[in-house]
Amino acid sequence: MVARLVRMAVRRSLRDTRHVRVVPRRRAEGLVADVYRQVEREFGMLAPPVALHSAAPDVLAASWAILRETLIADGAADRAAKEAVATGVSEANSCPYCADVHGMTLAALPVEGDRSALTEWARATATAPGAGAPPSDPAWSPELIGVAVAFHYYNRMVNVFLRDSPFPAHVPESAKPRARQVLGGVLRASAADAARPGDSVELLPSAPLPDDLGWAGGNPVVADAFARAYAAVEAAGVRSVAPEVRALVLGRLSSWDGQAPGLSRSWVTSAVASLRPENQAAGKLALLTAMASYQVDEELVEAYRASQPGDGALIELTAWASMAAARRISSWMSGARPAAA
């Protein structure tokens, strides 16, 4: 009964999604419904970090594919190792929502051996000087690097669109420790079920492997999932992000080492000064999503919406920027080449 109530509370937290309206489960159709069915099958609930993408169906499928085929699908690495990586990346990116959820899951899982080295490695992936291959069996690397890349993407989207807690705003602080314990048990139960690799791949059309997917070469399913997801998100960027904005973001990321740009946003104002006035709000939002997602606020989103009011365009811009940053970060894990501008 308590587990059911916690599931209901997490579902209610979908209403707390900021800036966009999530497609309700009962109204989901086509690709959105297909993704929702898989998410509920694997997690036992409709996870808000996935569902927040629902206004852009192809991006929804892409975000789900990279999460499922790394964190959830059976493979060489055990689930505890993957959750340790998810937790470490989320801590490094100042994403309390993801750090809370995956920290709860990790705490609830049976762990064979010490996973702290993987958490430390995951934290270090956020900046180039601390990067390198994961401290594990080399056969695990495609999955663990894949989890890290997926969470460098997800943390940015969650920071923009979700609150700091997986529980809805009405849940009092005094009730959260017990709720965390119960939710950890729910997530542990879902993690115990075998998940066949590749089930999400066919949600998206096939795509060639880009140069910056060298790290995934040892796992064909992970490589295929990311290739399809990268292609879908890139197409979304072409639809919803002006070429000069994409060029600016990729140019900035090409020399970025992951270091935070600072508490002030003055750097982003000067960075977009070269853009046409009608693209400056989009440029600010894309740059901050990529490099300092925790600084995105209502004012910034509303400035963008003045010229692009649709939820789909907002999801596609932020997803493109988040994925561009995640791909840049992948370039300093195992020597993968950065994505071309």
Side-chain angles (χ1 to χ4, degrees):
M1 180 65 173
V2 177
R4 181 170 171 268
L5 291 174
V6 169
R7 282 194 180 97
M8 289 175 62
V10 173
R11 285 194 201 102
R12 285 192 64 183
S13 74
L14 288 166
R15 302 175 191 173
D16 294 333
T17 303
R18 298 180 295 201
H19 314 309
V20 295
R21 294 177 67 86
V22 173
V23 174
R25 181 179 178 275
R26 67 185 180 279
R27 296 181 185 170
E29 299 177 345
L31 185 56
V32 174
D34 291 342
V35 173
Y36 278 12
R37 278 191 290 270
Q38 288 197 9
V39 174
E40 290 190 312
R41 182 187 70 199
E42 305 293 4
F43 284 128
M45 66 187 79
L46 186 55
V50 182
L52 70 84
H53 296 82
S54 60
D58 288 351
V59 175
L60 170 70
S63 68
W64 171 239
I66 64 172
L67 180 68
R68 186 192 184 277
E69 302 308 332
T70 57
L71 182 73
I72 300 169
D74 289 346
D78 61 67
R79 182 67 177 267
K82 297 174 182 181
E83 293 289 351
V85 171
T87 302
V89 170
S90 300
E91 291 170 351
N93 287 326
S94 301
C95 182
Y97 185 108
C98 293
D100 203 358
V101 169
H102 296 282
M104 281 188 284
T105 308
L106 179 60
L109 288 172
V111 178
E112 295 182 6
D114 186 6
R115 295 288 182 242
S116 60
L118 281 175
T119 303
E120 288 302 316
W121 169 81
R123 291 192 190 104
T125 63
T127 54
S136 64
D137 185 329
W140 294 15
S141 288
E143 294 164 37
L144 298 184
I145 293 175
V147 171
V149 176
F151 276 84
H152 281 297
Y153 169 83
Y154 265 99
N155 293 162
R156 287 161 168 80
M157 295 297 286
V158 168
N159 277 340
V160 173
F161 292 102
L162 296 181
R163 297 170 56 254
D164 288 348
S165 172
F167 302 106
H170 71 274
V171 175
E173 286 298 320
S174 61
K176 287 182 179 177
R178 174 57 177 158
R180 286 187 176 92
Q181 184 181 28
V182 174
L183 181 56
V186 171
L187 295 171
R188 177 183 62 196
S190 66
D193 295 333
R196 184 179 62 186
D199 279 4
S200 69
V201 170
E202 295 301 324
L203 293 167
L204 293 165
S206 61
L209 297 182
D211 290 342
D212 60 322
L213 263 179
W215 55 265
N219 187 315
V221 173
V222 170
D224 191 20
F226 273 86
R228 293 175 190 235
Y230 283 176
V233 174
E234 190 61 30
V238 170
R239 282 192 300 269
S240 295
V241 188
E244 66 172 349
V245 173
R246 297 201 308 274
L248 174 65
V249 172
L250 292 174
R252 284 272 173 161
L253 289 175
S254 67
S255 59
W256 182 56
D257 65 359
Q259 298 292 338
L263 295 177
S264 169
R265 297 197 310 202
S266 59
W267 67 274
V268 78
T269 300
S270 60
V272 303
S274 61
L275 300 177
R276 286 175 294 173
E278 63 268 27
N279 287 329
Q280 289 183 5
K284 286 182 179 180
L285 180 56
L287 277 172
L288 281 170
T289 298
M291 301 174 71
S293 58
Y294 48 85
Q295 290 189 355
V296 174
D297 58 20
E298 188 76 30
E299 180 182 2
L300 193 70
V301 173
E302 288 306 309
Y304 168 76
R305 279 195 178 279
S307 60
Q308 294 283 350
D311 285 357
L314 177 59
I315 291 293
E316 291 192 336
L317 179 140
T318 50
W320 178 84
S322 297
M323 194 69 83
R327 292 179 74 168
R328 169 60 183 163
I329 292 167
S330 78
S331 73
W332 57 69
M333 288 186 275
S334 295
R337 290 171 54 187

Short mmCIF file of all heavy atoms in Angstrom, two decimals, residues 43 71 79-80 82-84 86-87 98-111 180-181 183-192:
data_model
loop_
_atom_site.label_atom_id
_atom_site.label_comp_id
_atom_site.label_asym_id
_atom_site.label_seq_id
_atom_site.Cartn_x
_atom_site.Cartn_y
_atom_site.Cartn_z
N PHE A 43 10.23 0.67 -15.06
CA PHE A 43 10.33 1.37 -13.78
C PHE A 43 9.14 1.14 -12.87
O PHE A 43 9.19 1.50 -11.69
CB PHE A 43 10.47 2.88 -14.01
CG PHE A 43 11.84 3.30 -14.47
CD1 PHE A 43 11.98 4.08 -15.61
CD2 PHE A 43 12.98 2.95 -13.78
CE1 PHE A 43 13.24 4.50 -16.04
CE2 PHE A 43 14.23 3.35 -14.19
CZ PHE A 43 14.37 4.13 -15.33
N LEU A 71 21.64 2.09 -18.60
CA LEU A 71 21.37 1.90 -17.18
C LEU A 71 20.55 0.64 -16.90
O LEU A 71 20.80 -0.07 -15.93
CB LEU A 71 20.62 3.12 -16.63
CG LEU A 71 20.31 3.09 -15.13
CD1 LEU A 71 21.57 3.30 -14.32
CD2 LEU A 71 19.25 4.14 -14.78
N ARG A 79 23.92 -3.66 -12.20
CA ARG A 79 23.11 -2.45 -12.03
C ARG A 79 23.69 -1.53 -10.96
O ARG A 79 23.61 -0.29 -11.08
CB ARG A 79 21.67 -2.84 -11.69
CG ARG A 79 20.70 -1.68 -11.53
CD ARG A 79 20.46 -0.93 -12.83
NE ARG A 79 19.47 0.13 -12.66
CZ ARG A 79 18.17 -0.01 -12.87
NH1 ARG A 79 17.68 -1.17 -13.29
NH2 ARG A 79 17.34 1.01 -12.69
N ALA A 80 24.27 -2.09 -9.91
CA ALA A 80 24.84 -1.25 -8.85
C ALA A 80 25.98 -0.39 -9.40
O ALA A 80 26.10 0.79 -9.05
CB ALA A 80 25.33 -2.11 -7.69
N LYS A 82 26.27 0.69 -12.44
CA LYS A 82 25.66 1.72 -13.28
C LYS A 82 25.02 2.81 -12.42
O LYS A 82 25.12 4.00 -12.74
CB LYS A 82 24.62 1.08 -14.20
CG LYS A 82 25.20 0.07 -15.18
CD LYS A 82 24.08 -0.62 -15.96
CE LYS A 82 24.60 -1.67 -16.91
NZ LYS A 82 23.52 -2.31 -17.68
N GLU A 83 24.35 2.41 -11.34
CA GLU A 83 23.73 3.40 -10.47
C GLU A 83 24.79 4.24 -9.75
O GLU A 83 24.57 5.43 -9.49
CB GLU A 83 22.82 2.72 -9.44
CG GLU A 83 21.58 2.06 -10.04
CD GLU A 83 20.55 3.06 -10.55
OE1 GLU A 83 20.70 4.27 -10.29
OE2 GLU A 83 19.58 2.62 -11.19
N ALA A 84 25.94 3.65 -9.45
CA ALA A 84 27.03 4.42 -8.85
C ALA A 84 27.50 5.51 -9.81
O ALA A 84 27.77 6.65 -9.41
CB ALA A 84 28.19 3.50 -8.49
N ALA A 86 25.63 6.84 -12.32
CA ALA A 86 24.55 7.81 -12.44
C ALA A 86 24.54 8.78 -11.26
O ALA A 86 24.34 10.00 -11.43
CB ALA A 86 23.20 7.08 -12.52
N THR A 87 24.78 8.26 -10.07
CA THR A 87 24.79 9.11 -8.88
C THR A 87 25.97 10.08 -8.91
O THR A 87 25.80 11.28 -8.64
CB THR A 87 24.86 8.24 -7.62
OG1 THR A 87 23.74 7.35 -7.60
CG2 THR A 87 24.84 9.10 -6.36
N CYS A 98 18.22 13.97 -9.69
CA CYS A 98 18.80 12.70 -10.15
C CYS A 98 19.71 12.08 -9.10
O CYS A 98 19.73 10.86 -8.93
CB CYS A 98 19.57 12.92 -11.45
SG CYS A 98 18.53 13.35 -12.86
N ALA A 99 20.46 12.91 -8.37
CA ALA A 99 21.33 12.38 -7.32
C ALA A 99 20.49 11.69 -6.25
O ALA A 99 20.88 10.63 -5.73
CB ALA A 99 22.17 13.50 -6.72
N ASP A 100 19.34 12.26 -5.93
CA ASP A 100 18.45 11.68 -4.93
C ASP A 100 17.90 10.34 -5.40
O ASP A 100 18.01 9.31 -4.71
CB ASP A 100 17.30 12.66 -4.66
CG ASP A 100 16.63 12.45 -3.30
OD1 ASP A 100 17.03 11.53 -2.57
OD2 ASP A 100 15.72 13.23 -2.96
N VAL A 101 17.32 10.32 -6.60
CA VAL A 101 16.70 9.09 -7.11
C VAL A 101 17.72 7.97 -7.25
O VAL A 101 17.49 6.83 -6.80
CB VAL A 101 16.01 9.36 -8.47
CG1 VAL A 101 15.61 8.04 -9.13
CG2 VAL A 101 14.79 10.24 -8.28
N HIS A 102 18.85 8.25 -7.86
CA HIS A 102 19.81 7.17 -8.13
C HIS A 102 20.65 6.84 -6.90
O HIS A 102 21.09 5.69 -6.76
CB HIS A 102 20.63 7.52 -9.38
CG HIS A 102 19.75 7.58 -10.58
ND1 HIS A 102 19.31 6.44 -11.22
CD2 HIS A 102 19.14 8.63 -11.19
CE1 HIS A 102 18.48 6.80 -12.19
NE2 HIS A 102 18.37 8.11 -12.19
N GLY A 103 20.82 7.80 -6.01
CA GLY A 103 21.41 7.47 -4.72
C GLY A 103 20.53 6.53 -3.93
O GLY A 103 21.01 5.58 -3.29
N MET A 104 19.19 6.76 -3.96
CA MET A 104 18.24 5.86 -3.29
C MET A 104 18.31 4.46 -3.89
O MET A 104 18.31 3.46 -3.17
CB MET A 104 16.82 6.40 -3.43
CG MET A 104 16.45 7.51 -2.50
SD MET A 104 14.68 7.91 -2.61
CE MET A 104 14.61 8.83 -4.14
N THR A 105 18.35 4.40 -5.22
CA THR A 105 18.39 3.10 -5.89
C THR A 105 19.66 2.35 -5.52
O THR A 105 19.64 1.15 -5.20
CB THR A 105 18.29 3.26 -7.41
OG1 THR A 105 17.16 4.08 -7.73
CG2 THR A 105 18.14 1.91 -8.08
N LEU A 106 20.80 3.05 -5.57
CA LEU A 106 22.08 2.43 -5.23
C LEU A 106 22.07 1.90 -3.80
O LEU A 106 22.52 0.78 -3.52
CB LEU A 106 23.21 3.43 -5.43
CG LEU A 106 24.62 2.94 -5.10
CD1 LEU A 106 25.01 1.75 -5.96
CD2 LEU A 106 25.63 4.08 -5.28
N ALA A 107 21.53 2.70 -2.88
CA ALA A 107 21.51 2.29 -1.48
C ALA A 107 20.64 1.05 -1.27
O ALA A 107 20.87 0.26 -0.35
CB ALA A 107 21.00 3.44 -0.61
N ALA A 108 19.62 0.88 -2.13
CA ALA A 108 18.70 -0.25 -1.97
C ALA A 108 19.18 -1.52 -2.64
O ALA A 108 18.63 -2.60 -2.38
CB ALA A 108 17.32 0.14 -2.53
N LEU A 109 20.18 -1.42 -3.52
CA LEU A 109 20.64 -2.59 -4.27
C LEU A 109 21.68 -3.39 -3.50
O LEU A 109 22.51 -2.81 -2.78
CB LEU A 109 21.25 -2.15 -5.60
CG LEU A 109 20.31 -1.64 -6.68
CD1 LEU A 109 21.10 -1.07 -7.85
CD2 LEU A 109 19.39 -2.76 -7.17
N PRO A 110 21.68 -4.71 -3.67
CA PRO A 110 22.80 -5.50 -3.13
C PRO A 110 24.06 -5.19 -3.93
O PRO A 110 24.03 -5.18 -5.16
CB PRO A 110 22.34 -6.95 -3.33
CG PRO A 110 21.34 -6.88 -4.44
CD PRO A 110 20.67 -5.55 -4.36
N VAL A 111 25.15 -4.89 -3.26
CA VAL A 111 26.38 -4.48 -3.94
C VAL A 111 27.48 -5.47 -3.60
O VAL A 111 27.75 -5.75 -2.43
CB VAL A 111 26.81 -3.06 -3.51
CG1 VAL A 111 28.12 -2.68 -4.19
CG2 VAL A 111 25.72 -2.06 -3.85
N ARG A 180 11.67 8.22 0.78
CA ARG A 180 12.88 7.81 0.06
C ARG A 180 13.16 6.33 0.26
O ARG A 180 13.55 5.63 -0.67
CB ARG A 180 14.08 8.64 0.54
CG ARG A 180 14.10 10.06 0.04
CD ARG A 180 15.41 10.76 0.40
NE ARG A 180 15.44 12.09 -0.18
CZ ARG A 180 15.02 13.19 0.45
NH1 ARG A 180 14.55 13.09 1.69
NH2 ARG A 180 15.07 14.36 -0.16
N GLN A 181 12.97 5.86 1.47
CA GLN A 181 13.19 4.44 1.76
C GLN A 181 12.25 3.56 0.94
O GLN A 181 12.67 2.57 0.34
CB GLN A 181 12.99 4.20 3.25
CG GLN A 181 13.30 2.77 3.69
CD GLN A 181 13.07 2.57 5.18
OE1 GLN A 181 12.25 3.25 5.80
NE2 GLN A 181 13.78 1.63 5.77
N LEU A 183 10.57 4.45 -1.87
CA LEU A 183 10.84 4.58 -3.30
C LEU A 183 12.09 3.80 -3.68
O LEU A 183 12.15 3.17 -4.75
CB LEU A 183 10.99 6.05 -3.69
CG LEU A 183 11.25 6.32 -5.17
CD1 LEU A 183 10.15 5.73 -6.04
CD2 LEU A 183 11.38 7.81 -5.44
N GLY A 184 13.09 3.80 -2.80
CA GLY A 184 14.28 2.99 -3.07
C GLY A 184 13.93 1.52 -3.21
O GLY A 184 14.46 0.83 -4.09
N GLY A 185 13.01 1.03 -2.37
CA GLY A 185 12.57 -0.36 -2.49
C GLY A 185 11.82 -0.62 -3.78
O GLY A 185 11.99 -1.67 -4.41
N VAL A 186 10.99 0.34 -4.20
CA VAL A 186 10.27 0.20 -5.47
C VAL A 186 11.26 0.13 -6.63
O VAL A 186 11.15 -0.72 -7.53
CB VAL A 186 9.29 1.37 -5.66
CG1 VAL A 186 8.70 1.36 -7.08
CG2 VAL A 186 8.17 1.31 -4.63
N LEU A 187 12.23 1.02 -6.62
CA LEU A 187 13.23 1.04 -7.69
C LEU A 187 14.10 -0.20 -7.66
O LEU A 187 14.50 -0.72 -8.71
CB LEU A 187 14.08 2.31 -7.58
CG LEU A 187 13.31 3.62 -7.80
CD1 LEU A 187 14.18 4.81 -7.45
CD2 LEU A 187 12.83 3.72 -9.24
N ARG A 188 14.40 -0.70 -6.46
CA ARG A 188 15.19 -1.92 -6.36
C ARG A 188 14.43 -3.09 -6.98
O ARG A 188 15.01 -3.90 -7.71
CB ARG A 188 15.49 -2.23 -4.89
CG ARG A 188 16.25 -3.55 -4.70
CD ARG A 188 16.45 -3.84 -3.23
NE ARG A 188 15.15 -4.01 -2.57
CZ ARG A 188 14.98 -3.97 -1.24
NH1 ARG A 188 16.00 -3.76 -0.44
NH2 ARG A 188 13.77 -4.13 -0.72
N ALA A 189 13.13 -3.15 -6.73
CA ALA A 189 12.33 -4.25 -7.29
C ALA A 189 12.33 -4.19 -8.81
O ALA A 189 12.46 -5.21 -9.49
CB ALA A 189 10.91 -4.17 -6.75
N SER A 190 12.21 -2.99 -9.38
CA SER A 190 12.23 -2.87 -10.83
C SER A 190 13.60 -3.21 -11.39
O SER A 190 13.73 -3.78 -12.48
CB SER A 190 11.80 -1.47 -11.26
OG SER A 190 12.74 -0.49 -10.87
N ALA A 191 14.66 -2.88 -10.65
CA ALA A 191 16.02 -3.16 -11.11
C ALA A 191 16.33 -4.65 -11.10
O ALA A 191 17.22 -5.11 -11.81
CB ALA A 191 17.03 -2.42 -10.24
N ALA A 192 15.59 -5.41 -10.30
CA ALA A 192 15.85 -6.85 -10.19
C ALA A 192 15.35 -7.62 -11.40
O ALA A 192 15.78 -8.74 -11.66
CB ALA A 192 15.21 -7.40 -8.92
#
